[in-house]
Amino acid sequence: MEALDRVVKPKTKRAKRFLEKREPKLTENTKNAILIKGGNANLTVTETLKDIYALKKPFAVLYKKKNITRPFEDQTSLEFFSKKSDCSLFLFGSHNKKRPNNLIIGRMFDYHVLDMIELGVEKFVSLKDIKNSKCPEGTKPMLIFAGDAFDLNEEYRRLKSLLIDFFRGPTVPTIRLAGLEYVLHFTAMDGKIYMRSYKVLLKKSGCKIPRIELEEMGPSLDLVMRRTHLASEDLYKLSLKQPKALKPKKKNISHDVFGTSYGRIHMQKQDLSKLQTRKMKGLKKRPAAKMTEEEEGISPKKSKSV
């Protein structure tokens, strides 16, 4: 019990800054990813991890050494690496006779595996095989998802959420047209997921809006879904919960049984004497003395002598 109650305080300023970075925040940092190579990874899996690392940089950590682990049987090593590298996303690559060219993509919640999906690589074309110009490191991609399965199937819907988390990059307040440089396109069709990467080329069109062309940049992957480990609905909702400080405050709002919203507005008491009315001679204010003479029937003008 004494060991559990003991709190280790940082002894240096560097250690203090390190712990402060890992403290809970109202606005999350950009999610980092770890890319881990299994104990029996082949050349295809190794090249795939390198290319995805090139797309994800600088928000990624690539482990070059082989790690003998099976995420679907034992998740402790993944959780250890996640806490050590401060990464909430992971991509694990392995290869064996039963599941060749295997990728496991997943995410963490409180340094525990939330959900993960196993994908098999059926076809792979690397970045270096496509002889076109590449985008600079750290470029934020545009994500496009095509196929009804991403909206109708629960496993594909969760995979879409995973891919968005993995590749979305930092949150930006404004967008520059020239900064929209490359596209990641995911297509779900006939039980397969096709991942393609394109560079956006802005050509002259003779008007303000440029003509847009797409040039394949790589990598190119044909994937098939294998095993899944999805979080329960309650745990998934808990992971999406936002702190109260970020929620907009709404006061004096009520709802009836039909769902109609009613708002109450508090206003100051209005002084009607200061109310601006239409300007007319009849409404023009007159001196008090003139008013009393008119009431008595005496004309204010002097009568002329005969």
Side-chain angles (χ1 to χ4, degrees):
M1 290 297 292
E2 292 180 1
L4 292 172
D5 295 336
R6 186 178 61 197
V7 177
V8 179
K9 293 184 179 181
K11 296 181 179 179
T12 61
K13 289 185 178 180
R14 185 180 178 183
K16 186 179 179 181
R17 288 195 301 268
F18 176 79
L19 292 175
E20 285 176 352
K21 284 182 180 179
R22 295 200 173 190
E23 286 180 356
K25 301 178 181 65
L26 288 176
T27 306
E28 284 187 352
N29 300 332
T30 304
K31 291 184 178 180
N32 295 328
I34 46 173
L35 291 90
I36 304 171
K37 186 164 54 173
N40 49 355
N42 61 355
L43 182 63
T44 301
V45 170
T46 304
E47 290 297 320
T48 303
L49 291 175
K50 284 182 180 179
D51 285 2
I52 293 177
Y53 172 67
L55 295 179
K56 183 69 180 169
K57 283 194 300 186
F59 305 105
V61 179
L62 177 64
Y63 284 14
K64 295 182 180 179
K65 291 184 178 180
K66 292 184 178 182
N67 296 276
I68 302 171
T69 182
R70 295 181 178 88
F72 277 88
E73 283 76 27
D74 184 17
Q75 301 162 5
T76 53
S77 58
L78 280 178
E79 292 169 357
F80 170 76
F81 290 137
S82 171
K83 195 167 187 179
K84 181 182 177 183
S85 304
D86 193 22
C87 296
S88 56
L89 301 164
F90 67 87
L91 184 66
F92 178 82
S94 62
H95 174 78
N96 54 47
K97 189 176 180 180
K98 189 177 181 181
R99 295 184 182 88
N101 303 330
N102 206 43
L103 294 175
I104 300 173
I105 185 172
R107 55 188 164 190
M108 303 283 182
F109 174 63
D110 195 21
Y111 298 114
H112 295 287
V113 174
L114 179 67
D115 45 18
M116 55 184 174
I117 296 175
E118 189 176 61
L119 302 167
V121 181
E122 292 191 343
K123 185 181 177 182
F124 170 67
V125 181
S126 67
L127 272 166
K128 62 184 180 183
D129 292 338
I130 300 174
K131 306 297 181 181
N132 288 328
S133 59
K134 315 299 179 187
C135 289
E137 179 184 319
T139 306
K140 185 178 172 69
M142 295 178 282
L143 302 177
I144 299 175
F145 292 87
D148 295 334
F150 283 124
D151 299 320
L152 301 176
N153 190 301
E154 179 60 30
E155 290 181 344
Y156 278 83
R157 194 184 297 121
R158 197 66 67 88
L159 174 62
K160 178 182 176 180
S161 174
L162 252 172
L163 292 170
I164 290 172
D165 261 2
F166 199 91
F167 290 107
R168 70 186 303 171
T171 304
V172 292
T174 55
I175 298 173
R176 186 171 61 96
L177 181 61
L180 304 175
E181 294 187 57
Y182 87 97
V183 175
L184 282 177
H185 194 283
F186 299 93
T187 306
M189 186 173 63
D190 301 330
K192 294 183 181 180
I193 301 105
Y194 301 93
M195 175 184 166
R196 299 292 183 267
S197 179
Y198 301 98
K199 185 175 181 181
V200 178
L201 303 176
L202 303 177
K203 302 285 188 177
K204 291 183 179 179
S205 62
C207 59
K208 276 189 175 182
I209 301 173
R211 182 168 55 87
I212 296 172
E213 291 184 4
L214 297 180
E215 183 181 72
E216 192 167 0
M217 185 182 72
S220 172
L221 292 164
D222 292 358
L223 305 166
V224 61
M225 190 180 292
R226 290 173 180 167
R227 292 180 293 177
T228 59
H229 172 83
L230 304 180
S232 62
E233 287 295 326
D234 295 336
L235 182 60
Y236 190 65
K237 286 181 181 177
L238 182 64
S239 67
L240 297 175
K241 190 176 179 181
Q242 289 185 344
K244 291 182 179 179
L246 288 178
K247 294 180 180 178
K249 294 181 180 179
K250 297 180 180 179
K251 295 182 179 180
N252 304 321
I253 294 177
S254 58
H255 303 276
D256 60 8
V257 291
F258 302 104
T260 309
S261 300
Y262 295 95
R264 179 177 294 179
I265 301 173
H266 297 278
M267 297 180 65
Q268 294 181 354
K269 190 175 180 181
Q270 193 174 11
D271 188 0
L272 297 177
S273 63
K274 295 180 180 179
L275 185 67
Q276 179 66 45
T277 56
R278 188 178 174 187
K279 294 183 178 180
M280 293 174 61
K281 284 188 177 181
L283 296 174
K284 193 175 181 181
K285 290 184 179 180
R286 289 173 287 180
K290 290 184 178 181
M291 288 291 292
T292 51
E293 287 177 355
E294 286 180 3
E295 289 172 3
E296 291 175 3
I298 303 171
S299 174
K301 295 181 181 179
K302 293 181 180 180
S303 58
K304 294 181 180 179
S305 58
V306 180

